[in-house]
């Protein structure tokens, strides 16, 4: 009488190949996930930057008096040593900082961004945001005197329109 033994399980080479494949897949997933997270941080910071401008305009118009905001590396702040009143309601609604964590902000806005009592913007400029983990750079351009803002992609020293925004 012969007994047949069936072997179940994996051999060592099969197991090693499986572990290597899982490691490669995990590495690809991790790098793609960190790029996505960096882009999301960048998009959120760009939108908060734009929200600050829009809310400052709306507050000046609603209360019927001029007010100002100062754009710091960490986000919107009250004007420092200015005769212009800060847009306080705007600052209250923008609790989360613009450049939180890994987002870098550079801009050519004046020290105090001024809004007239009828909501016009008296200053203009460009802001560029970048984030660790992605090569994407976002930009915001504000034109005078209406304060129309345009969000885009910053490439080769220019803020280009981006249909994904």
């Amino acid at each position: 009488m012969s007994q047949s033994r069936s072997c179940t399980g994996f051999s060592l080479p099969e197991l090693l190949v499986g572990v290597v494949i899982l490691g490669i897949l995990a590495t690809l997933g991790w790098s793609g996930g960190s790029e996505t997270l960096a882009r999301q941080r960048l998009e959120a910071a760009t939108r908060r930057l734009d929200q600050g401008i829009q809310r400052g305009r709306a507050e000046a118009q609603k209360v019927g008096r001029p007010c100002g905001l100062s754009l710091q590396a960490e986000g919107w702040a009250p004007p420092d040593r200015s005769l212009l009143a800060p847009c306080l309601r705007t600052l209250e609604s923008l609790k989360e900082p613009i450049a939180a964590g890994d987002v870098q902000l550079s801009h050519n806005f004046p020290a105090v961004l001024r809004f007239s009592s009828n909501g016009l913007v008296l200053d203009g400029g460009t802001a560029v945001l970048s984030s660790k983990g992605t090569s994407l750079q976002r930009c915001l351009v504000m034109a005078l005197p209406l304060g129309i803002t345009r969000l885009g992609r910053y490439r080769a020293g220019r803020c280009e329109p981006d249909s994904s925004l």
Side-chain angles (χ1 to χ4, degrees), residues 46 49 106 108-109 125-129 136-143 148-163 165:
T46 305
L49 180 63
S106 62
N108 64 358
F109 288 114
T126 302
V128 177
L129 295 103
L136 176 67
Q137 290 184 306
R138 288 287 181 211
C139 53
L140 177 140
V141 176
M142 185 166 57
I148 296 170
T149 57
R150 183 186 77 204
L151 303 177
R153 180 184 290 244
Y154 191 74
R155 284 189 206 156
R158 292 180 14 170
C159 188
E160 299 174 352
D162 188 350
S163 60
L165 290 172

Side-chain angles (χ1 to χ4, degrees), residues 77 80 130 137:
D80 193 27
S130 57
Q137 290 184 306

Side-chain angles (χ1 to χ4, degrees), residues 13-69:
E14 291 171 331
L15 187 60
L16 289 176
V17 168
V19 168
V20 168
I21 290 172
L22 285 175
I24 291 170
L25 290 174
T27 302
L28 291 174
W30 179 261
S31 64
S34 63
E35 167 84 12
T36 301
L37 184 60
R39 283 178 176 257
Q40 287 175 344
R41 270 195 306 265
L42 190 59
E43 300 294 342
T46 305
R47 299 226 186 269
R48 281 193 302 277
L49 180 63
D50 189 41
Q51 275 183 337
I53 293 169
Q54 301 310 324
R55 289 180 179 174
R57 291 180 64 200
E59 181 177 337
Q61 194 171 21
K62 184 176 182 179
V63 298
R65 65 171 173 77
C67 66
L69 292 172

